[in-house]
Amino acid sequence: KEQQRVADDLSRLIESANAPIFGVDLNGKVTEWNRKSADILGYTKDETLGQHLVKNFIQPENRQSVEGILQRALTGEETANYELPLLSKSQKRLTVLLNATTRRDAKGHIIGVWGIGQDITEINKI
């Protein structure tokens, strides 16, 4: 019961965070997509879940580097403060400062990657 309460609290925290947060599985498919990700990129959670993150939501010129970051996170090597150029559904160019963190299950097995970002689009214009 306590485990479920903690899981529910974490789900609410992720969903309501004022930062884009997404999760991908071992195959790079989106498993989590919070409200802030939807707000800034224009893709709903339903539109992203099960889709390959890099192939569907990363600009072609950045796919190789983002794939590398995800692959490194899947080996336990985390990446901090990667400036990720993104293109929203409405074709707006954005820049997100991304941290990629290994996602593990209760037994410590790697099950994917958490991406936590900060929209720095406006900061970069200064």
Side-chain angles (χ1 to χ4, degrees), residues 21 69 113 121:
I21 300 174
I69 287 169
V113 178
T121 306

Side-chain angles (χ1 to χ4, degrees), residues 38 40-44 47 57 87-92 94:
I40 69 168
L41 289 169
Y43 294 99
T44 66
E47 287 176 298
F57 305 106
L87 198 60
S88 74
K89 189 174 183 178
S90 65
Q91 303 304 299
K92 180 182 174 194
L94 305 162

Side-chain angles (χ1 to χ4, degrees), residues 92-107:
K92 180 182 174 194
R93 290 191 172 270
L94 305 162
T95 305
V96 170
L97 197 61
L98 181 72
N99 293 317
T101 303
T102 306
R103 189 174 180 189
R104 297 176 187 270
D105 65 14
K107 293 185 174 148

Side-chain angles (χ1 to χ4, degrees), residues 1-98:
K1 193 170 178 169
E2 175 67 8
Q3 264 185 327
Q4 188 57 52
R5 188 190 64 74
V6 170
D8 290 346
D9 283 353
L10 289 174
S11 290
R12 276 194 299 280
L13 176 68
I14 290 165
E15 187 55 33
S16 63
N18 192 26
I21 300 174
F22 63 86
V24 296
D25 65 13
L26 296 172
N27 299 311
K29 303 260 175 92
V30 177
T31 56
E32 298 286 342
W33 190 262
N34 78 341
R35 188 169 40 226
K36 190 67 173 180
S37 295
D39 288 349
I40 69 168
L41 289 169
Y43 294 99
T44 66
K45 190 173 197 166
D46 287 342
E47 287 176 298
T48 61
L49 291 182
Q51 298 295 316
H52 194 276
L53 178 76
V54 173
K55 290 178 187 163
N56 293 292
F57 305 106
I58 304 298
Q59 296 170 46
E61 63 271 21
N62 300 109
R63 287 180 184 158
Q64 192 172 357
S65 62
V66 173
E67 192 66 53
I69 287 169
L70 296 177
Q71 289 304 315
R72 283 193 297 280
L74 288 173
T75 67
E77 183 185 330
E78 301 182 353
T79 299
N81 301 324
Y82 174 77
E83 283 197 31
L84 176 62
L86 293 170
L87 198 60
S88 74
K89 189 174 183 178
S90 65
Q91 303 304 299
K92 180 182 174 194
R93 290 191 172 270
L94 305 162
T95 305
V96 170
L97 197 61
L98 181 72

